[in-house]
Amino acid sequence: KKQINTVLLIEGDSDRAPAVKACKEEGAIVRLYYNPSAISDKLLNVVKERGEIPAELISKMIRTTTATAAPTS
């Protein structure tokens, strides 16, 4: 039944906690990467392997996305 070994989750929403639990029950390793200013305690409580995404990287990604976005008008 086990079809995946590892799940990399870039998330902060508590709505993902049940899916994380289900993956772990099936034997998958779940690694969570998150923005420390937007993370649910509920999600943190179900994932042991985790890492913060540095604020500098998030800012850089936002600037890059904004700069490359197509005009809307």
Side-chain angles (χ1 to χ4, degrees), residues 5-45:
N5 294 320
T6 305
V7 176
L8 297 178
L9 183 62
I10 301 172
E11 182 65 67
D13 194 337
S14 65
D15 291 349
R16 303 295 182 248
V20 168
K21 287 180 184 178
C23 288
K24 289 172 61 177
E25 287 171 2
E26 292 297 323
I29 297 167
V30 179
R31 293 189 176 120
L32 171 67
Y33 295 92
Y34 62 94
N35 176 347
S37 66
I39 184 68
S40 157
D41 287 338
K42 184 176 179 180
L43 188 56
L44 283 176
N45 288 335

Side-chain angles (χ1 to χ4, degrees), residues 35 37 53-67:
N35 176 347
S37 66
I53 301 172
E56 302 82 31
L57 178 58
I58 293 169
S59 294
K60 182 178 179 182
M61 290 172 19
I62 291 170
R63 284 192 307 271
T64 301
T65 302
T66 303

